[in-house]
Amino acid sequence: MTVRWVLAGVLVFVAAACAPGGPAQSVPVQPPLYPPAVFAHRVSTTDVTVYWNCAQPEPGALYLDGVVQNTGAGEVRFVEVEIVSVDARDRTIASLRTAVPDVVIQTNQMSPFRLGLRTVGAEARIDLYYEYRVRSPFGMGVSRMSPERFRARDVCSESQHRVPKPQSDGIS
């Protein structure tokens, strides 16, 4: 009988030692921000939507911060984005290209990018190129493993590629 009480005491002690201390606390989970709430510009294809903001923190510097979101049904792979500064004669002045960190982007998943470009003052506009490959889900449909390349012109314009903001219904 004594052995049972000793074993029971040891089990209670071990269980108490393993239990977390203090009252249970829930950690608030921040809901992911929906891109239109954060980004001013966007372009879309049937497979992806690219959202971005342009910033000029100092003279001669231009930054594009954004995300590529898979809005199609297949896996989007090997996404690359490029910004190109173009002069008034449509000639390239400078460009910068990068791949997004996620090699495979699943449906509704987003992958961020950031591009910084030195400007010289002769730029007439900044264009954004993006390319990717698509693999259809479950082997159904057509997989496009050769890259699709798209261009958005004048991506830092105050009037081009703007994300529509929700209309207020007047109810407060």
Side-chain angles (χ1 to χ4, degrees):
M1 181 102 167
T2 311
V3 174
R4 285 187 190 171
W5 284 107
V6 170
L7 286 176
V10 169
L11 286 175
V12 169
F13 178 76
V14 169
C18 292
Q25 297 177 359
S26 64
V27 176
V29 176
Q30 295 290 332
L33 289 174
Y34 185 57
V38 182
F39 297 105
H41 303 276
R42 80 161 181 227
V43 290
S44 296
T45 66
T46 56
D47 304 302
V48 301
T49 300
V50 182
Y51 295 93
W52 71 92
N53 287 326
C54 295
Q56 288 187 293
E58 61 189 57
L62 174 72
Y63 290 96
L64 259 73
D65 290 297
V67 295
V68 176
Q69 181 180 23
N70 177 350
T71 53
E75 291 179 342
V76 172
R77 296 170 171 247
F78 309 112
V79 178
E80 292 185 352
V81 291
E82 177 181 18
I83 56 173
V84 178
S85 61
V86 180
D87 68 11
R89 293 184 182 173
D90 252 3
R91 289 186 284 194
T92 298
I93 298 171
S95 68
L96 182 65
R97 181 184 191 110
T98 191
V100 299
D102 298 297
V103 174
V104 176
I105 305 173
Q106 302 294 339
T107 302
N108 292 323
Q109 181 184 352
M110 291 177 254
S111 189
F113 66 89
R114 181 171 199 182
L115 294 164
L117 189 67
R118 286 281 167 208
T119 58
V120 295
E123 295 82 7
R125 69 175 193 272
I126 304 295
D127 293 345
L128 173 69
Y129 290 86
Y130 56 104
E131 66 182 60
Y132 58 89
R133 294 171 175 86
V134 175
R135 182 172 159 196
S136 298
F138 312 113
M140 299 167 53
V142 178
S143 292
R144 295 184 310 274
M145 292 313 288
S146 59
E148 297 265 347
R149 185 166 168 91
F150 302 92
R151 177 177 73 172
R153 293 173 53 109
D154 204 9
V155 296
C156 292
S157 165
E158 289 299 317
S159 61
Q160 302 273 341
H161 314 291
R162 299 300 290 189
V163 174
K165 298 299 176 196
Q167 297 291 325
S168 173
D169 58 7
I171 300 173
S172 297

